[in-house]
Every structure is written in structure tokens, then in C-alpha cells.
Amino acid sequence: MSTVDPFAVTNQPPPRGALPLWEGDPVLRALVPADQTPPRHLADHLGRSDTVTDGQRLATGPGPVLERFDTGGRRIDTIVYPEAYHRLLELGLGAGYAALPWAGSRPGGHAAHAAMVYLASQIEPGTCCPMTMTYAAIPVLRRHEGLAADLARLASVPAYDPADTPIAGKTATTIGMAMTEKQGGSDVRANRTIAEPADGAYRLFGHKWFCSAPMSDAFLTLAQRPEGLSCFLVPRRLPDGALNAIHLMRLKSKLGNRANASAEIEYHGAHAQMLGAPGDGVRTILEMVHHTRLDTAVAPAGLMRRALIEALYWSGHRKTFGKTLIDQPLMASVLADLTLEWLGALTLSMRVARAFDDREAGFARLSVALAKYLNNRRCPLVTGEAMEALGGMGYIEDTPMPWLYREAPLNAIWEGSGNVIALDVMRTIARSPGAVEALMAELNSARGAQVAFDTALTGLEATLTQPPDESQARRLTETMALLLQASLLLRGPTPVAGEVFAATRLGGDWGHTMGTLPPGVDTRALIALAQS
């Protein structure tokens, strides 16, 4: 009779437990300013096994619940979240996710913020939405007085106050946004919500098809005035404690991002303060959108990172045909390719964050669009391949792979879909020659480092001398983004990664799917870049 126990569990990786989000990520550590300690502290808390479990349950759970009325039929328009949601917001906002870049106490605040977005996205990205909106609203609010100034001050406090009370009773605040409507979507100039003067302020009437973070203390929104589309600030609660006339109609049933409530709302005479000049609403709110786009460029790098480390952990513990998976040449090629994609995404997004810190306005506007476009084009591919690396286990909800895959398309759609971003790149090229000059200077600093890079850069220079062709907007945006990634990697501490990246992504010595690297690539050296 066999002595082998047929019920013994073997050849399965041990449970993960805590995740070394900081110590296990040497690339992140090198990219964050040394005196910016909040990201490390946040990483220590997010990586704890109980927080990882909270994130998993939030990402795969049923999501928040909308309660529109109380027992007596009175409107309460309240969303009930699991306690884990509040715990994660307390960690993130307490670490300075929203407030740190505006504190002015030390340089590198936006880079530290980007690192926190990257870290939080690896655990539960749904809670990033209210924190990102708050971060992005602060510079807009600071330009105004009254309610806006009060909210800017409270949003700049590194803390989380979940109390649903008027602003005067809050110790910290969160800010949401509601721009798009049924008939227009990204074409916000087609909006029909109207603003009518009332008692020195305004009353809003209309709907919003998508309201981000609907339990926030206030929202930036758009409404029509005779002068044109204008920007308004709408508090959730009025000074007397009554609910403002914002009706939460229903919560969106989304593919992913389940922990985050996204709502359809109606304004039934909601009290509002105008921000900016009448008719200048798009320009006013675009400052907020500019900063939210930074986060939607960074978040996919975090999703790629979590997917990659799960694939590395599995393949490092699982044996097939007599070898550990990671030692199988074909699997090593897949993992090395995944590492290149993550490395390019993280390096690019952190360079963009540094441009925000250094007030490189033209470069920041162009590069954030490039990073948002390309990082989000690659994220579904990376998460899908990483899922496949786990085999059938990757398709099981016990692992993070399914929710990572569901989350992967989100940041490509929010804050400007791929076409919107590519067309914005074209407008920047046409209207901001300084932005193009800054980009070309960045790219030219790597000229001579790799043949395929030089060839692609020469091609870009020739393209930019031609009249713009809208049908080629995506092609041009992709080329510029790939060149910027390659330039950063070639000039980075491990130029071998840049050489392989340029040869494959720009030189065509690649099959365009993961695991098709050319012969002779040192896959072990590339994989090692993702490990501590």
C-alpha cells in the first residue's frame, strides 16, 4: 500500500500574509525623495496581513449600500460602507495622501503622493477615489473665499473625519466631483444642468450621470449660466444641518472598483457657490482634472505591481515537470516581460509626479497625458498575463487576480478615455510649443544610448514637422509615451532594462505579447529588478 498521503496539500505556496510593499520594492524606494517618509509609513500599514485581508474583502464584496429614505419616508440619501472602507481612508488620508503635496513643508510632495496612490492601488483601489478627488480639488478651492476657503483648509488636514455633519463641525473634509450627464458624457459643454441666482448664491437644477465619492462633504460640479458652462461648489450639508437638495438616485453597478460608491444624482435646487468666472467652468474645473489624471496614470502601475508580485510569488513556489516555475525558461521570459512593463509604468508615472513638484507646467501637462494613455493601455494585458501565470488558481476569487483584472480598464476610462487623452495630446502639441520642446529635450538626453531608440526618436521628429492628423492621434501618443519610458529607463540605474525595452517596444524585436523577448535576454537580471 502506498505511503503517500493522498489528502496532503503539497506544491502550493504558503499563505502570503503581510506584503513588503516598501522593503520589497527597490525601484519605488529609489524614486521617492529620501526625506519623504509618509509613503514608507503608509506602506507598512497597508502591507499588514489584516489590512491586505480588508482590501481583498472590499474588492470582492457586495459593495456599499444606498439608503435613500428613513423608516418614516424622509430623504436621507446616505451610503453605508463596510468598516474596512473607513479604516483604509483613515490610513490613507492620515498619511497625507491628499494633504501632503499642498503642505509646502518639504519638496517632493507630489512624488510622495504618487507613491501613496501606487501603494494603495495594490491593496484596494476603490478607496483611492475620494482621496484622489480631495487631493485634486485643493488647488482649485484655495483660489476662492468663503465656503471654498473653509473646505480647502479642512481638506488640507492629514486626517479622515467620516461624520456626516455641516462643514463647521468637521475636523477634516473630503471633496467629490460631478461633471458628466446622460446626453454628453465627456462632451461636458452639452450639459443641461442650470444654475439660478438665489440669495447671493445659486440653486442648481438638473442631473449628473456620474458623481464620484457621493458621500463627500462637498462637490465640484458644472452647470449652465447665460454666459456659458460654469463651475460650482455644492456642499452636502447646509449650515443648519439639513441635507442640501442633492438626491442620490442609484449607485452604479460597476465591473470593478466595488468598494467605491459611484452615483447618479439629481439637483433639486441645491445650494451652490460659483467658482471662477461665469462661463469659465471648464477652465476652472480642469485644474482639478489635471491632478486627477496624475493619479489615473499612477494607479495602473500599482495594479501591475500587485499582479506581478503575485505571479512571482506563485512561480517561485510552484514546481512543474521537475523545476520551479520561475526557473522554466518560457515562464521566466513571461515574468521578465511583465517586469519591463511594470518598470516602465512606474518610472514614467513618478517622473510625471516630479514634474508636478518642479512646476514644469508644459512638460507636466503633456507627460501626464502620455503616462495616463500608455500605462492604462498596458495594464489589462499585464494583469491578464499575470493571472494566467497562476493557471487555474488565478481565476479564483480567493486570490487578488480577478479583482485586479476587473480594475485594470478603469483608469483608462475615468478622467478622459483613450481618445479624449490622445486628442488632448494633439491640442497640446498645437497650442503649447514649450511643452513639446520640454519633451524633446527629455528624449534627446538619451540619444545615442540605443539604436532602436535613436531611430524612433528621429521618426518622431519628422512626424512633428507634418500637419497634425487627428486619425493618427493614438499612434503619435503611443510613440511619444514609449520613447519617454525608454528614455527614462536608459538613463536609469539599470540601463540594461532600457536597452531591452527599446529593442522590443520601439525596435520591433518582440512579438507584442508577454514572453516573446528576443534570444539572449538575461531574464533573471530583469526579474531581479522587481525583487528586493
Side-chain angles (χ1 to χ4, degrees):
M1 186 175 180
S2 173
T3 59
V4 176
D5 182 355
F7 300 104
V9 177
T10 61
N11 201 25
Q12 285 283 338
R16 288 301 306 264
L19 297 177
L21 298 178
W22 183 261
E23 294 300 333
D25 194 337
V27 177
L28 176 66
R29 296 199 308 270
L31 292 171
V32 175
D35 62 343
Q36 284 288 3
T37 57
R40 177 172 187 168
H41 295 156
L42 180 61
D44 291 342
H45 288 287
L46 288 175
R48 289 173 38 175
S49 59
D50 57 341
T51 309
V52 174
T53 299
D54 276 351
Q56 178 73 16
R57 289 174 177 167
L58 282 173
T60 58
V65 175
L66 171 61
E67 295 182 354
R68 296 174 63 190
F69 302 95
D70 68 7
T71 305
R74 292 170 287 264
R75 293 202 73 96
I76 56 174
D77 291 297
T78 295
I79 298 170
V80 179
Y81 297 90
E83 283 303 312
Y85 174 89
H86 296 293
R87 287 195 292 269
L88 286 174
L89 281 181
E90 185 175 5
L91 284 177
L93 291 172
Y97 182 115
L100 181 62
W102 314 112
S105 56
R106 60 170 70 98
H110 289 284
H113 162 80
M116 288 190 268
V117 176
Y118 170 80
L119 292 164
S121 297
Q122 296 180 51
I123 301 303
E124 200 297 299
T127 51
C128 291
C129 180
M131 298 192 289
T132 285
M133 293 294 160
T134 303
Y135 151 76
I138 290 173
V140 181
L141 296 173
R142 281 185 168 182
R143 298 182 186 278
H144 300 86
E145 299 178 348
L147 175 63
D150 292 338
L151 284 164
R153 175 178 54 81
L154 289 168
S156 300
V157 175
Y160 174 53
D161 180 357
D164 185 14
T165 60
I167 304 301
K170 300 280 292 190
T171 58
T173 55
T174 57
I175 313 296
M177 180 167 62
M179 285 204 300
T180 58
E181 297 180 8
K182 297 182 183 75
Q183 71 282 351
S186 296
D187 183 9
V188 294
R189 295 189 186 278
N191 284 7
R192 296 174 184 167
T193 295
I194 60 172
E196 297 181 352
D199 303 321
Y202 292 87
R203 297 282 183 182
L204 304 187
F205 297 88
H207 83 280
K208 294 297 171 184
W209 188 234
F210 212 101
C211 175
S212 300
M215 282 298 288
S216 298
D217 297 294
F219 308 90
L220 270 70
T221 195
L222 296 172
Q224 298 286 359
R225 289 288 301 143
E227 301 87 346
L229 197 62
S230 305
C231 183
F232 294 88
L233 178 63
V234 189
R236 173 173 164 78
R237 292 274 177 184
L238 300 176
D240 63 1
L243 280 171
N244 203 354
I246 308 169
H247 294 181
L248 305 186
M249 304 308 292
R250 65 173 176 174
L251 300 186
K252 299 289 193 181
S253 180
K254 305 189 296 287
L255 171 67
N257 208 246
R258 291 180 180 175
N260 174 39
S262 304
E264 297 169 25
I265 66 172
E266 291 181 355
Y267 297 129
H268 290 264
H271 175 86
Q273 172 190 343
M274 184 182 287
L275 301 181
D280 203 24
V282 173
R283 186 192 306 274
T284 301
I285 207 167
L286 273 181
E287 184 174 11
M288 181 178 182
V289 174
H290 179 58
H291 287 88
T292 59
R293 283 183 178 175
L294 172 61
D295 289 21
T296 57
V298 175
L303 298 174
M304 291 186 211
R305 174 64 185 178
R306 180 67 188 278
L308 174 61
I309 62 175
E310 293 295 329
L312 290 172
Y313 187 78
W314 175 268
S315 60
H317 290 84
R318 183 81 164 174
K319 288 186 176 180
T320 59
F321 308 112
K323 282 186 180 180
T324 305
L325 266 178
I326 202 169
D327 295 321
Q328 303 277 4
L330 188 54
M331 178 59 78
S333 182
V334 171
L335 295 172
D337 240 347
L338 293 174
T339 299
L340 280 176
E341 289 293 338
W342 155 75
L343 190 61
L346 176 57
T347 305
L348 174 57
S349 57
M350 292 301 292
R351 172 63 183 98
V352 175
R354 196 167 80 244
F356 277 61
D357 278 318
D358 296 342
R359 299 182 180 178
E360 303 173 66
F363 180 79
R365 178 183 172 183
L366 183 53
S367 63
V368 75
L370 299 178
K372 181 186 184 319
Y373 180 85
L374 187 60
N375 288 355
N376 285 297
R377 300 270 74 73
R378 311 303 291 168
C379 191
L381 175 60
V382 170
T383 53
E385 287 282 2
M387 176 190 291
E388 190 175 330
L390 274 66
M393 184 62 77
Y395 205 65
I396 304 302
E397 293 282 359
D398 292 350
T399 76
M401 308 312 286
W403 73 253
L404 287 166
Y405 191 66
R406 288 193 296 268
E407 194 76 17
L410 178 142
N411 291 286
I413 299 169
W414 285 5
E415 309 308 312
S417 61
N419 283 357
V420 171
I421 295 299
L423 292 173
D424 189 52
V425 168
M426 298 290 276
R427 281 190 294 272
T428 302
I429 292 171
R431 301 175 184 176
S432 304
V436 180
E437 291 171 6
L439 175 67
M440 296 309 295
E442 183 92 8
L443 299 182
N444 274 301
S445 63
R447 191 184 287 274
Q450 206 276 340
V451 173
F453 175 85
D454 289 355
T455 301
L457 181 54
T458 300
L460 174 63
E461 290 171 333
T463 299
L464 291 175
T465 64
Q466 303 299 315
D469 180 351
E470 184 177 307
S471 69
Q472 298 300 300
R474 278 181 174 240
R475 184 183 182 94
L476 178 59
T477 300
E478 178 183 292
T479 298
M480 295 170 80
L482 286 170
L483 278 165
L484 185 52
Q485 280 187 327
S487 167
L488 292 165
L489 294 177
L490 286 166
R491 291 177 287 132
T494 53
V496 63
E499 292 167 7
V500 178
F501 187 95
T504 53
R505 275 63 175 172
L506 293 170
D509 193 4
W510 189 47
H512 302 289
T513 58
M514 298 297 104
T516 57
L517 294 172
V521 170
D522 188 345
T523 55
R524 284 183 176 273
L526 292 176
I527 292 170
L529 298 176
Q531 300 170 319
S532 57

